[in-house]
Amino acid sequence: MTAFSRIVLLTIITAAHAATVVYDFNVSWAAASPDGLAKRQVIGINQQWPPPRIDAQVGDRLIVNLLNSLGDQDTSLHFHGLFMNGSTHMDGSSMVTQCPIPPGASFTYNFTIDQPGTYWYHSHAQGQYPDGLRGPLIIHDPKTPFQYDQELVLTVSDWYHEPMSVLQPRFMSKYNPTGAEPIPNAALMNDTQNLTIPMIPERTYSFRMANIGAFAGQYIWIEGHNMTIVEMDGVYVHPTETSMIYLSAAQRCSFLVKAKRETSRNFPMIASMDTTLFDTTPPSLNPNVTSYLLYNNTAPLPTPSPLDSFTPLDDTHLHPRDNLGILPLPDQAITLNISMSNLASGANYAFFNNITYVAPLVPTLYTVLSSPNSSSFELTANAQIYGTYTHPYILPHHSIIQLVLNNLDTGRHPFHLHGHNFQVLHRSGPDEGPWWSTSSNLNEPSYNHTIKAPPMRRDTLLVEPNGNAVLRFRADNPGVWLFHCHIEWHMISGLAATFVEAPSILQRTLQVPEDHFSACKRKDGKGKDIPVQGNAAGRGQSSDADPKEWLVLDGQPCPPGELHSGFTRGGVVALAISCLTGLLGVVVVGWYGFSEPAAAVGNEKKESGENVSESGVYSEKSKSVGNNGAEAAPASGKKKLDVAASGLLTDVMIRRGTEAVESQAVSFGSEEEAVNAVGKGMDGNGKKRLGGGSWEGKGHGC
């Protein structure tokens, strides 16, 4: 295949004024096999896959008209890394800033771009984007501070052969109690493999690279070439040379590469998935994807040389080109402890401070806009109305926020903040434990000596296993913003929190277009309309509702209950019945064993000297001898009574065993719930949680 079929070489033309850039996206199913091993259904745009790249320029107005033609799935688009200043309703997070877009509905994203850099867009609904709905988004800068001859845009990603409709239920299942994430089947570069990139000697190339994968971080290097890093997550940095970079899921960077003068050979460019994230690595998995810098069409494409270890650049050592110093001491400090554990359904969930995210009944932004806010009853800044399981924090306008992340898990996590980037004040190595600061010395940061001023800024940061990080940002962008792990499996299992920033200002200034509210109406009759007013439980929708109703969260969506530390009531009953049945069985066996032997069965058999048991099995002649040595006469009906008793007890044991199971099934509603130990009301009247804040049906209360 030719390089030009997969990679576009862009000539940047400086515009005299801002433009309006319009994209019409018909989101629909397509078929693809990017690794050549398994053709499958994927989510494409305008009947094509991979989806197109979005290109715009600083100052442009970007309009994306989206039509959902999937037929069987809701969707949305999030423009990853763009701050959406003054446009939080365009952020694209389902049930956070909008309703998910139902099949057949249209939705318009319309916002102005004021930040250059390398970004990407993807679905932010129901763990959907690993099915293919993602692509690069490049914001060009006419005043770029770096000189280069040509720009290349590359993506790296992991890839699955099975759709998310199969993988998600398997992942969030009692049969996966450890929470082992599905292992990707392949690695891709520009949604293909064996890509060739033509090189012109001594030219300087600007590579824009984004990891648009669902799970795996990627180590990236080019044999025989160094890379000069000039941008990370949309932040220009002082040029820093390295031989290898690491991009977690959702991270981006730009680097310059100087082409060689000599053209006798070609060079491999490798991206290798971070297999330390995987619970197991299948022997058949090739974690690498290789492309080639093509200097000579007639020369062979070389096999990459093996590496003994990975030594990527530490991104916290980079310094922003604007030299912005450390932000002032924080006005608000938030500590988030990351953990994984099982809930009563048996599945494994992810937690911030023992809270796993569940989407509300009303999109959080719409709760902000519809909440009572008067001198007599001001609720907009009351976190309670946004629900327990959205894990909300209220951020005052222009306050300095410090986030302390304590990763109590044994895996790496890339955390992403919507609406902002943040300064990285500290990141520990693996296994260094939680951040040691206390609330008293957070405002006296004796750790300043560890900060490489000016500190690095970005919107997605990798936190090491059993490690910690300290982040800081200014709350200068009123809106509703998610903070979450960008491993999509962990987003599905609930590793997210909600920052409600300057809600009173938001309520006074934001106008939501009518087509956004129209997306909340389910016109196909396959589901209930999503309310656009009220608290997280949908209460307070009526204009004459008592404002106190907003503080009532009965009926809010919630996760399964906690696992019981001991036996459930049904378990105690079942154990008691089992023990009683066992004891009765022992008593009966003992009684039967110590009972008197059977007497002779008839005069004819006596005369013949044969002894035949009542069961009809031949045995040696035996006699029961009494105290006087004479043959004992059988008690009338004694043996018959023994057999009947034994048969009756066997029946009772069988019936009791069945009754025990039935008792559990009646107690829990179904046998499956009995096994899962999930009672009525634990996850909302027996409905299954679909993951990522999506539920079957509406109105599930705790």
Side-chain angles (χ1 to χ4, degrees), residues 330 332-334 400-404 425 442 447 470-473:
Q332 182 175 354
I334 299 170
I400 303 299
I401 308 299
Q402 182 156 287
L403 284 178
V404 175
L425 303 189
L442 277 174
Y447 55 84
V470 181
L471 317 177
R472 193 176 289 178
F473 66 96

Side-chain angles (χ1 to χ4, degrees), residues 428-458:
S428 77
D431 300 316
E432 292 188 15
W435 175 242
W436 49 262
S437 290
T438 64
S439 58
S440 61
N441 60 28
L442 277 174
N443 291 327
E444 297 292 338
S446 58
Y447 55 84
N448 266 6
H449 67 280
T450 67
I451 300 173
K452 308 289 192 301
M456 180 56 199
R457 297 196 311 275
R458 62 184 318 164

Side-chain angles (χ1 to χ4, degrees), residues 173-228:
S173 165
K174 66 183 180 183
Y175 301 109
N176 183 32
T178 64
E181 302 86 354
I183 307 302
N185 298 107
L188 304 176
M189 193 175 294
N190 270 24
D191 285 318
T192 189
Q193 295 181 335
N194 300 313
L195 179 71
T196 56
I197 305 169
M199 303 295 286
I200 297 176
E202 297 189 293
R203 273 198 177 186
T204 298
Y205 290 85
S206 173
F207 284 80
R208 293 183 180 269
M209 182 165 281
N211 185 342
I212 63 174
F215 182 16
Q218 304 260 5
Y219 296 95
I220 299 152
W221 69 100
I222 307 172
E223 289 190 9
H225 297 70
N226 282 336
M227 301 174 281
T228 301

Side-chain angles (χ1 to χ4, degrees), residues 376-448:
S376 59
F377 217 89
E378 196 277 322
L379 284 175
T380 305
N382 188 327
Q384 184 174 339
I385 68 173
Y386 303 111
T388 305
Y389 300 103
T390 62
H391 204 166
Y393 291 89
I394 307 299
L395 309 184
H397 197 213
H398 289 303
S399 59
I400 303 299
I401 308 299
Q402 182 156 287
L403 284 178
V404 175
L405 304 177
N406 292 319
N407 184 8
L408 309 182
D409 184 46
T410 56
R412 289 173 155 179
H413 294 276
F415 288 104
H416 171 55
L417 175 60
H418 290 219
H420 296 272
N421 55 32
F422 43 73
Q423 293 184 333
V424 182
L425 303 189
H426 171 79
R427 180 176 62 190
S428 77
D431 300 316
E432 292 188 15
W435 175 242
W436 49 262
S437 290
T438 64
S439 58
S440 61
N441 60 28
L442 277 174
N443 291 327
E444 297 292 338
S446 58
Y447 55 84
N448 266 6

Side-chain angles (χ1 to χ4, degrees), residues 313-349:
L313 173 76
D314 185 342
D315 58 317
T316 64
H317 293 170
L318 297 169
H319 305 300
R321 187 178 176 88
D322 60 14
N323 294 317
L324 180 65
I326 301 170
L327 289 171
L329 296 177
D331 301 301
Q332 182 175 354
I334 299 170
T335 296
L336 296 175
N337 296 321
I338 299 104
S339 61
M340 307 282 183
S341 187
N342 298 88
L343 292 180
S345 66
N348 191 273
Y349 288 80

Side-chain angles (χ1 to χ4, degrees), residues 460-471:
T460 306
L461 180 74
L462 186 74
V463 181
E464 296 289 354
N466 293 311
N468 64 78
V470 181
L471 317 177

Side-chain angles (χ1 to χ4, degrees), residues 23-25 44-46 48-54 121 134-137:
Y23 287 85
D24 295 319
F25 282 179
I45 290 176
N46 301 334
Q48 294 183 343
W49 194 89
R53 190 176 78 217
I54 293 177
Y121 66 91
R134 73 285 188 280
L137 189 163

